Amino acid sequence: MTKQQLLEQDLAHIWHPCTQMHDHQSTFPLIPIKRAKGVYLYDFDEKQYIDCISSWWVNLFGHCNEYINQKLQEQLSSLEHCIFAGFSHKQAITLSQRLCAKLPKSLNKCFYADNGSSAIEVALKMAFHAKLLRDSAFSKSLEHNQESGTFFLSLQNSYHGESLGALSVSDVGLYKRTYEPLLLRNLTIPMPHTLSDYQEVCTTAPDSKLIAHYEQSLSFLESTLKHSTQIVALILEPLIQCAGGMQIHAPYFVKEALRLCHEYNVYVIFDEIAVGFGRSGSMFALEQCSVTPDFLALSKGITGGYLPLSVVLTNDQIYELFYAPYQENKAFLHSHSYTGNALACACANAVLDIFETQNILETNKHKSRYIWQNAQSLQKFAFIKNLRQMGMVCAFELDSINTRKGIEIYNKALELGLILRPLGNTIYFMPPFIINNEQIDYVFVSLQKIFENLSGSWE
Ligand SMILES: Cc1ncc(COP(=O)(O)O)c(C=O)c1O
């Protein structure tokens, strides 16, 4: 098939995610990809594109990584998949042991699913069910339909996925507004704006300025917890709210929010689907917050961007609530056909091998510094605001009232061989960890070119 035929066949049959398909007529192109290697995707004209967004934040060690390929091929010759109820396999067992060993001791049980949103559904359902089992006043109040309060708390600007439960606890209007009538009861905690001087404020003890920054959110949270008896859990993305515009928050906030919830016997769910596996600078963001949630959801980078897999970790106390001779209302009867897929688990074990043998987190510190130095070249543009960075995420806003300005940048970047995918007016750089200095230089020189050409037509 020629490139043109591929495009025609695609548009005849495929409805792409997160896309107004009409935009492919003229606003931005659809690009069939022929192959990929390292940070590059190649189209059918052999044009190369740097994957500046790690293909929706999943790719850690490059496309067609030789080591992950090898481990995947080895797994293919023995077991591709088997039912995970009543059966198990070595890759999932090894992966679970290794994840638990890397996380706080109490996170000791792994429940697998097959994508980020599904992990959020698992965490919400498990938390709700655990509260029913733990708290008889709660279950009675539901039986008698007393109160019609909220069950979940989440943060302004949060994003936890787009299945209905996950969307209920998300706060990105673009994805949520239309479906509001279908959603679960959730209350959004107001949040202050992102921190841009993260390094300064977060490496030292919280000062009065930082405490004041979060005061309103934390007091709103506390008074909500005080006045409601039906709240099951607070869910949050620790340190970076990614799809909400790469909003960076201090460990102080996460820590205080968790402390308050636990004071009021409310569970805390950390969604590290996007920031886990080194993206925040540490292996898991919770390490920088020095706290342990009741539930932790992981996905995306877990397989290095190879195959869909997710997991929710929880503690023995919660597990024990469900552990009893069979009764329907005590078992957690949630399932997905591809739960614990052996190929995906083999990739995840390969990803952990790479972390363990190649000093990735230390190397990333240097890379992240190099990205930050390069990013300073953008400060000269008056319309670039709020340049910020945390770990392997660097972001800024375009000061424009035109909310589709990002699309113009997206198209210009494609011409120069960069895949950027702005979130509204937020432009971010979140590359695979194997990106090298020369490639980083190319990205920022190209961005300067794009912005120089745009300067004249700014609004
Ligand atoms: C923090 C967070 N949670 C959940 C999800 C949903 O994951 P998935 O797209 O695999 O359903 C995402 C996806 O971007 C995310 O960033």
Side-chain angles (χ1 to χ4, degrees), residues 56-221:
W56 262 342
W57 323 337
V58 296
N59 194 292
L60 301 186
F61 301 124
H63 295 274
C64 286
N65 177 288
E66 276 164 29
Y67 183 73
I68 305 177
N69 281 2
Q70 179 205 325
K71 291 291 168 186
L72 183 55
Q73 269 156 11
E74 281 170 22
Q75 185 59 35
L76 262 174
S77 59
S78 59
L79 173 70
E80 82 303 349
H81 179 69
C82 68
I83 179 172
F84 209 55
F87 295 85
S88 191
H89 54 79
K90 196 167 156 216
Q91 289 292 355
I93 296 165
T94 309
L95 177 62
S96 310
Q97 280 174 328
R98 293 175 86 181
L99 288 174
C100 291
K102 289 189 186 311
L103 283 159
K105 217 167 161 214
S106 62
L107 292 174
N108 193 35
K109 292 284 184 288
C110 299
F111 191 99
Y112 287 93
D114 50 21
N115 63 71
S117 306
S118 302
I120 298 303
E121 301 298 321
V122 168
L124 297 175
K125 282 177 69 180
M126 208 182 253
F128 177 80
H129 199 158
K131 187 167 165 77
L132 277 178
L133 296 171
R134 183 190 75 180
D135 181 349
S136 56
F138 176 63
S139 52
K140 282 208 185 87
S141 75
L142 294 185
E143 269 166 38
H144 301 117
N145 217 5
Q146 285 166 2
E147 290 191 65
S148 53
T150 184
F151 291 136
F152 295 104
L153 302 177
S154 55
L155 307 184
Q156 187 178 355
N157 273 314
S158 59
Y159 177 91
H160 299 287
E162 292 172 48
S163 52
L164 293 176
L167 201 55
S168 307
V169 292
S170 297
D171 182 45
V172 180
L174 179 66
Y175 310 123
K176 181 167 179 173
R177 261 187 299 273
T178 310
Y179 309 103
E180 288 278 5
L182 301 176
L183 304 180
L184 302 175
R185 293 186 273 182
N186 173 72
L187 186 75
T188 305
I189 309 291
M191 287 296 286
H193 54 79
T194 181
L195 294 172
S196 48
D197 51 353
Y198 174 79
Q199 266 100 348
E200 276 166 55
V201 292
C202 296
T203 46
T204 51
D207 61 7
S208 54
K209 198 170 133 217
L210 187 73
I211 293 171
H213 188 71
Y214 291 111
E215 194 178 334
Q216 205 199 348
S217 305
L218 289 168
S219 55
F220 186 96
L221 173 63

Side-chain angles (χ1 to χ4, degrees), residues 111 125 129 322 326-335:
F111 191 99
K125 282 177 69 180
H129 199 158
F322 293 80
Y326 186 79
Q327 293 166 44
E328 194 182 292
N329 67 347
K330 272 214 161 186
F332 188 62
L333 298 177
H334 182 101
S335 54

Side-chain angles (χ1 to χ4, degrees), residues 260-459:
L260 285 171
C261 288
H262 282 177
E263 198 177 309
Y264 288 90
N265 273 327
V266 163
Y267 290 127
V268 177
I269 303 168
F270 278 7
D271 174 352
E272 291 214 32
I273 285 165
V275 298
F277 298 96
R279 191 55 77 177
S280 71
S282 48
M283 188 65 173
F284 299 105
L286 56 75
E287 293 164 29
Q288 294 179 58
C289 309
S290 313
V291 286
T292 307
D294 305 286
F295 301 91
L296 172 68
L298 303 172
S299 186
K300 290 197 185 265
I302 192 170
T303 63
Y306 267 63
L307 285 164
L309 181 73
S310 60
V311 60
V312 175
L313 288 110
T314 190
N315 57 45
D316 285 334
Q317 263 171 323
I318 289 165
Y319 180 80
E320 295 294 337
L321 290 169
F322 293 80
Y323 194 81
Y326 186 79
Q327 293 166 44
E328 194 182 292
N329 67 347
K330 272 214 161 186
F332 188 62
L333 298 177
H334 182 101
S335 54
H336 297 284
S337 316
Y338 282 97
T339 293
N341 176 263
L343 296 175
C345 290
C347 291
N349 277 312
V351 162
L352 294 183
D353 291 345
I354 296 175
F355 271 109
E356 284 166 14
T357 55
Q358 295 185 26
N359 212 11
I360 300 296
L361 297 174
E362 205 44 45
T363 314
N364 277 0
K365 279 189 195 148
H366 300 288
K367 267 183 204 173
S368 154
R369 238 172 271 136
Y370 193 75
I371 291 170
W372 188 238
Q373 282 162 13
N374 263 273
Q376 299 314 308
S377 62
L378 304 178
Q379 297 274 29
K380 65 181 176 216
F381 299 102
F383 50 82
I384 285 180
K385 301 281 180 225
N386 217 4
L387 183 64
R388 57 195 179 275
Q389 185 195 38
M390 189 182 182
M392 289 296 279
V393 182
C394 181
F396 53 88
E397 265 78 50
L398 299 173
D399 192 15
S400 167
I401 46 160
N402 180 351
T403 53
R404 297 208 100 191
K405 196 84 186 163
I407 293 183
E408 213 176 315
I409 311 281
Y410 174 82
N411 282 328
K412 300 270 182 219
L414 278 181
E415 282 170 24
L416 293 173
L418 305 182
I419 303 178
L420 293 173
R421 204 182 146 89
L423 296 156
N425 280 338
T426 302
I427 314 266
Y428 66 92
F429 181 51
M430 200 162 164
F433 299 165
I434 48 128
I435 193 161
N436 63 31
N437 287 358
E438 206 181 312
Q439 291 156 344
I440 295 169
D441 291 344
Y442 181 78
V443 169
F444 284 96
V445 167
S446 304
L447 281 174
Q448 284 188 67
K449 260 191 215 154
I450 293 169
F451 294 137
E452 269 154 21
N453 291 333
L454 279 178
S455 301
S457 63
W458 203 250
E459 58 191 62

